[in-house]
């Protein structure tokens, strides 16, 4: 069984950059959303054989006084801190069955800032889609929207909707009703990655392929093409759209050939779909292990998949979503040898 330590605020103990967490880092706040993120992160740390660091953050509120001697006053943070430490202890107990090395810390500061700093050294950040609220509950929620766009490492958000697939329960009536309406469908051992031909999408494809190999899963590369709207409504859709799809298929085939050259043993396929990228990827998230997207995409006619779409998927996904930051990868250097790149969907 892995070691488990409680490190409240390493800064108070003289900790420095050398103590920065590595491996898998998960943010918790005691909410059901945080519990789902914790379980997913523990499974991932065990799968990767990497250490797990559990963190919660809080800020001490400052109140403006009124009157002639007005000023600013802060509250004693001891009670808040004790609550944060209790959350960490509960988290440590919950993941005790997993064979992972675990550390934990309570951080005093803005949750988004804390996690962004940690992302400099972490291999992967994991958060729930929203949190408890209140002082200690600042860790999740809006953070899960802001963090993926700025983190230096990939970020996974885990929605409460998939609590049942993680062996968790929830008392959230809206989520329970949605789960009941959706019915039971076995989760496919598939990683789905959304692409649009941008370099950011190609980086996401490589990360998705790595994740599929870790899971022993197959990879599904999905390119969704939305309908023309607004200023593009005048375009003769039947003719132009057919040509667009033909071009995308050519570049998808080239992209898949490039991908298979780097992952010869990975089972991989592509799907070209007509429809809203957000709707397509959200639907995929209901019944696959993971959906992967980049932080932003190409823009323009064929590049509407990522960017704002990644944010839309995060808000509505029914399963875990990984957002991969833009970065350089030497494997992209030989992409041109396999065929067309402009408009390439992988």
């Amino acid at each position: 069984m892995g070691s488990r330590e409680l490190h409240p605020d390493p800064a108070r103990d003289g900790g420095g950059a050398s103590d920065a967490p590595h491996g898998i880092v998960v943010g918790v706040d005691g909410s059901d959303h945080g519990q789902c993120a914790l379980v997913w992160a523990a499974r991932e740390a065990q799968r990767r054989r990497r250490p797990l660091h559990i963190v919660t953050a809080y800020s001490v509120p400052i109140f403006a006084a009124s009157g002639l001697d007005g000023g600013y006053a802060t509250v004693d943070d001891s009670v808040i801190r004790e609550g944060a430490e209790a959350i960490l202890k509960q988290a440590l107990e919950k993941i005790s069955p997993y064979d992972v090395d675990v550390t934990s810390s309570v951080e005093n500061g803005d949750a988004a800032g804390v996690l962004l700093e940690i992302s400099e050294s972490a291999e992967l950040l994991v958060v729930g889609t929203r949190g408890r609220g209140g002082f200690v509950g600042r860790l999740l929620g809006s953070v899960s929207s802001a963090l993926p766009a700025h983190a230096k490492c990939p970020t996974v958000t885990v929605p409460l909707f998939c609590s049942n697939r993680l062996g968790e329960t929830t008392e959230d009536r809206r989520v329970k009703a949605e789960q009941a309406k959706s019915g039971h469908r076995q989760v496919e051992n598939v990683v789905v990655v959304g692409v649009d031909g941008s370099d950011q999408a190609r980086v996401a494809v490589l990360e998705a392929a790595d994740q599929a190999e870790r899971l022993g899963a197959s990879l599904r590369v999905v390119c969704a093409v939305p309908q023309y709207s607004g200023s593009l409504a005048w375009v003769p859709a039947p003719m132009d759209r057919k040509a667009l799809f033909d071009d995308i298929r050519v570049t998808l085939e080239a992209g898949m050939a490039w991908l298979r050259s780097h992952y010869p043993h990975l089972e991989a396929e592509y799907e070209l779909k007509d429809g809203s990228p957000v709707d397509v990827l959200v639907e995929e998230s209901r019944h696959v292990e993971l959906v992967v997207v980049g932080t932003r995409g190409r823009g323009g006619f064929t590049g509407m998949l990522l960017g704002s779409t990644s944010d839309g998927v995060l808000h509505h996904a029914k399963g875990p979503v990984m957002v991969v930051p833009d970065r350089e990868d030497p494997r992209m250097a030989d992409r041109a040898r396999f065929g067309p790149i402009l408009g390439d969907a992988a």
Side-chain angles (χ1 to χ4, degrees), residues 9-331:
D9 199 353
R12 295 188 179 184
D13 299 327
S18 61
D19 299 320
H22 293 77
I24 313 299
V25 177
V26 58
V28 299
D29 68 349
S31 68
D32 288 346
H33 293 259
Q35 297 295 298
C36 287
L38 175 64
V39 171
W40 194 95
R43 291 183 179 183
E44 185 66 12
Q46 183 169 275
R47 181 162 43 239
R48 297 191 186 196
R49 300 183 181 276
R50 300 291 292 150
L52 176 67
H53 184 77
I54 308 171
V55 61
T56 191
Y58 72 95
S59 298
V60 179
I62 300 177
F63 300 97
S66 60
L68 295 176
D69 58 346
Y72 292 92
T74 60
V75 299
D76 182 2
D77 73 341
S78 60
V79 174
I80 302 174
R81 186 175 183 80
E82 287 175 4
E85 291 177 353
I87 287 172
L88 286 187
K89 290 178 180 178
Q90 180 187 42
L92 289 169
E93 292 174 359
K94 186 173 187 64
I95 63 168
S96 59
Y98 293 90
D99 185 17
V100 292
D101 291 330
V102 185
T103 57
S104 59
S105 64
V106 175
E107 303 292 343
N108 188 343
D110 178 75
V114 166
L115 289 175
L116 286 174
E117 184 175 354
I118 289 175
S119 75
E120 296 278 357
S121 62
E123 182 177 321
L124 182 71
L125 290 180
V126 184
V127 294
T129 49
R130 61 184 176 89
R132 183 185 297 280
F135 298 152
V136 179
R138 291 286 312 284
L139 186 58
L140 307 180
S142 60
V143 176
S144 64
S145 295
L147 186 65
H150 303 286
K152 301 303 182 182
C153 67
T155 302
V156 172
T157 58
V158 185
L160 190 55
F161 180 87
C162 67
S163 58
N164 49 6
R165 72 164 80 172
L166 295 170
E168 293 295 297
T169 59
T170 177
E171 296 304 316
D172 188 307
R173 294 181 179 179
R174 181 186 61 81
V175 172
K176 290 174 70 175
E178 192 174 4
Q179 288 175 336
K181 182 178 179 181
S182 178
H184 176 74
R185 178 174 175 179
Q186 187 170 356
V187 176
E188 301 176 53
N189 194 26
V190 175
V191 173
V192 167
V193 57
V195 297
D196 71 344
S198 64
D199 283 345
Q200 290 78 19
R202 278 184 278 274
V203 171
V205 166
L206 293 172
E207 184 66 38
D210 287 339
Q211 187 67 17
E213 287 196 332
R214 294 186 197 104
L215 289 167
S218 61
L219 179 67
R220 183 180 302 151
V221 178
V222 174
C223 181
V225 184
Q227 292 290 331
Y228 295 137
S229 61
S231 61
L232 298 180
W234 59 270
V235 174
M239 178 177 61
D240 286 358
R241 199 161 181 79
K242 181 181 183 304
L244 175 63
F245 271 65
D246 289 343
D247 287 344
I248 292 176
R249 286 191 182 92
V250 170
T251 51
L252 269 170
E253 291 285 357
M256 294 301 293
W258 164 73
L259 178 65
R260 292 185 180 108
S261 73
H262 292 286
Y263 297 88
H265 304 297
L266 178 65
E267 181 182 343
E269 63 178 359
Y270 77 83
E271 291 186 359
L272 178 57
K273 298 195 173 186
D274 190 343
S276 160
V278 172
D279 291 345
V280 167
L281 292 178
V282 167
E283 183 59 30
E284 291 279 356
S285 73
R286 290 179 180 274
H287 50 81
V288 298
E289 288 287 351
L290 183 70
V291 169
V292 182
V293 293
T295 50
R296 57 191 176 90
R298 177 183 299 280
F301 293 166
T302 63
M304 297 175 69
L305 182 58
L306 304 181
S308 61
T309 296
S310 61
D311 188 59
V313 173
L314 286 174
H315 278 86
H316 301 288
K318 308 305 179 185
V321 176
M322 176 186 288
V323 178
V324 182
D326 188 18
R327 63 189 181 209
E328 295 184 1
D329 191 305
R331 292 173 293 181

